[in-house]
Amino acid sequence: RHVHRGHRASRTQQVGAVDPTAGRGPAPEHAREEDEQHERLKWARELAGLLVEGKLPFSPTQGASAEEGHLRCCRGVRAATLCQRISCWRPFRRWLVASGYPAFPESHDSVLEYMELRRKEGAPRTTVTSLLLSLKFLEEAGEVPLESRISQHPSLDNEAKEGAAAAAAISRITRS
């Protein structure tokens, strides 16, 4: 019954065909909500792990339960958005660790270095922007004070804009 992220429900599922599992669990109208909550909790656990690993101020134990603590860092966003932000973050995190940096950047320099590297590699134009959105999201979820947020550094925004412009120019040239 679970429809994986990125896959649409079949036409019969959309128009309410007879469900062979009817009577064996939650009503179908609640199944979608239940699936969303399950996926959201799965991504919340991973997000909380990234925040703790990065030594951000967020503490999952401040909630009444571990589940509530994990969900607090989600900031009310849906499972698909959590998936997107974490998926954009993973390659950067791997690069940080492989390059000898901590698992979460301590200054804008390492982020800028990675952005420039990705641009030189010819990454899609949204790569750098997506990374910057993920960094902002993780800092907000990690409860980093505004004045300490690396994502606020002007050089990162400038590099994201320059990277998008350069990728767009390359795209125009290759289409011509």
Side-chain angles (χ1 to χ4, degrees):
R1 181 174 66 205
H2 178 71
V3 178
H4 294 284
R5 184 183 67 77
H7 297 277
R8 287 191 167 165
S10 70
R11 181 78 178 134
T12 55
Q13 288 171 320
Q14 292 173 0
V15 296
V18 176
D19 182 2
T21 62
R24 288 192 259 154
E29 60 270 8
H30 298 295
R32 182 175 293 153
E33 291 174 23
E34 190 177 280
D35 287 347
E36 171 69 17
Q37 280 302 96
H38 175 74
E39 286 296 303
R40 198 162 177 266
L41 184 56
K42 178 184 92 168
W43 288 109
R45 287 183 187 122
E46 184 170 348
L47 176 60
L50 290 170
L51 301 177
V52 170
E53 176 189 45
K55 297 180 176 68
L56 300 183
F58 169 80
S59 173
T61 59
Q62 290 178 347
S65 71
E67 184 175 306
E68 288 175 4
H70 289 127
L71 289 172
R72 192 182 84 245
C73 69
C74 294
R75 308 187 61 248
V77 301
R78 298 189 57 170
T81 304
L82 292 171
C83 172
Q84 184 179 37
R85 296 292 177 249
I86 292 170
S87 296
C88 291
W89 185 257
R90 284 179 184 148
F92 177 55
R93 184 201 160 281
R94 283 191 301 269
W95 177 84
L96 283 170
V97 171
S99 299
Y101 293 110
F104 198 89
E106 294 178 340
S107 78
H108 70 282
D109 293 327
S110 58
V111 182
L112 196 56
E113 183 181 341
Y114 181 78
M115 289 174 151
E116 291 170 350
L117 173 71
R118 296 295 295 159
R119 185 164 48 102
K120 288 177 185 174
E121 291 175 346
R125 66 185 171 149
T126 58
T127 301
V128 170
T129 305
S130 295
L131 171 63
L132 192 53
L133 287 172
S134 293
L135 175 61
K136 287 178 182 181
F137 177 78
L138 264 73
E139 287 180 325
E140 290 170 4
E143 302 170 356
V144 175
L146 258 176
E147 64 278 359
S148 302
R149 293 184 185 171
I150 296 166
S151 61
Q152 301 298 316
H153 200 280
S155 66
L156 299 181
D157 194 41
N158 289 344
E159 178 61 29
K161 289 176 182 175
E162 183 58 30
I170 290 170
S171 177
R172 282 192 300 275
I173 291 169
T174 57
R175 280 187 279 155
S176 300

